[in-house]
Amino acid sequence: MKFFIDTANLIHIKEAQGLGVLDGVTTNPSLMAKEDITGKDNILQHYLDICEIVDGDVSAEVVATDFDGIVREGEELAKLHEQIVVKVPMIKEGLKAIKYFSDKGIKTNCTLIFSSGQALLAAKAGATYVSPFLGRLDDISTDGLNLIAEIRLIYDNYKFETEILAASIRHTMHVINCAKLGADVMTGPLSSIDGLLKHPLTETGLSKFLEDAKSFM
Ligand code: E4P
């Protein structure tokens, strides 16, 4: 399972990269705004800064909603750095653009996926990644994990190569349950990654070992 961090915060990205288990980064316009990154040049530079920190794929989202605009923005983003994956919303024009990018060998992440039908369309269009938003479904009392399971079944039935990128992860149990269901990738905040480290028995066990080790020194 690949681990992506879902943030535009460079400190968090560096910290996750330092753990040695980070495979990539996802961003979205809200995450960029949260870091006060505004203006096209600053936004493009920020993507480059992220690519400098990590080795893997970095999703950069288009904001156009018409085919020509999505293609224009996506091609500019893809040219920026080889690690950039063009993140495109699951709308009709976005679907057409994913097919266009796929034919040109440009990697895409189809975002804002809330149903298995949408995921099926994205895979048929040739999306590299599909991002079902687990946490936001849970927020409205719908079983987000069930969507991950459905997409896994459908993709396996037809051997689609599109990777399931479980998004909108909120906590460590989301990560573990997505791993059980066979999601290819998870993207979440730093807390969902370093939270996996923690167990009270590890902490008390280590304290006791260190206490007992004092007599060796
Ligand atoms: C997906 O790539 C999105 O950036 C993200 O996971 C959305 O998460 P949220 O629902 O916590 O905003």
Side-chain angles (χ1 to χ4, degrees):
M1 187 192 211
K2 290 187 218 166
F3 276 19
F4 288 1
I5 189 167
D6 193 34
T7 185
N9 183 293
L10 298 182
I11 295 169
H12 285 192
I13 295 170
K14 279 180 194 154
E15 197 166 332
Q17 175 68 16
L19 291 172
V21 295
L22 192 67
D23 301 294
V25 177
T26 52
T27 63
N28 63 40
S30 306
L31 293 171
M32 296 296 267
K34 201 170 159 191
E35 301 306 316
D36 288 326
I37 319 288
T38 51
K40 189 177 162 188
D41 290 347
N42 291 334
I43 288 174
L44 295 181
Q45 183 55 51
H46 201 72
Y47 290 136
L48 286 173
D49 293 344
I50 294 173
C51 291
E52 281 300 302
I53 301 170
V54 300
D55 302 320
D57 287 346
V58 174
S59 287
E61 188 158 341
V62 298
V63 290
T65 52
D66 62 297
F67 176 81
D68 290 339
I70 295 172
V71 165
R72 202 176 320 114
E73 263 187 66
E75 286 185 331
E76 188 176 3
L77 288 168
K79 266 188 213 137
L80 195 61
H81 197 283
E82 59 187 8
Q83 285 168 247
I84 295 285
V85 173
V86 182
K87 200 170 179 190
V88 181
M90 171 35 84
I91 53 175
K92 196 183 280 185
E93 299 294 289
L95 187 69
K96 293 180 201 168
I98 287 169
K99 171 69 177 141
Y100 171 90
F101 290 134
S102 166
D103 289 345
K104 292 199 120 196
I106 293 173
K107 285 184 168 187
T108 53
N109 173 357
C110 185
T111 189
L112 290 167
I113 293 285
F114 292 97
S115 76
S116 48
Q118 292 176 323
L120 180 56
L121 282 174
K124 282 192 67 66
T128 314
Y129 298 103
V130 69
S131 287
F133 276 34
L134 181 52
R136 290 193 196 185
L137 281 169
D138 285 359
D139 288 345
I140 58 156
S141 309
T142 306
D143 186 358
L145 284 170
N146 188 45
L147 176 59
I148 305 290
E150 273 186 22
I151 300 172
R152 181 73 284 154
L153 177 67
I154 291 169
Y155 282 11
D156 288 351
N157 279 348
Y158 297 99
K159 305 203 171 9
F160 283 120
E161 286 177 8
T162 300
E163 293 188 48
I164 302 172
L165 196 174
S168 188
I169 292 266
R170 300 281 163 74
H171 48 71
T172 53
M173 282 313 292
H174 273 159
V175 179
I176 291 161
N177 286 322
C178 284
K180 284 185 185 171
L181 291 170
D184 301 288
V185 192
M186 80 85 195
T187 191
L190 180 61
S191 58
S192 68
I193 300 174
D194 65 14
L196 294 169
L197 275 167
K198 295 173 193 150
H199 196 287
L201 290 179
T202 305
E203 282 157 31
T204 53
L206 182 61
S207 297
K208 178 80 172 93
F209 286 155
L210 293 178
E211 186 60 33
D212 292 342
K214 281 183 186 158
S215 62
F216 308 162
M217 297 169 194

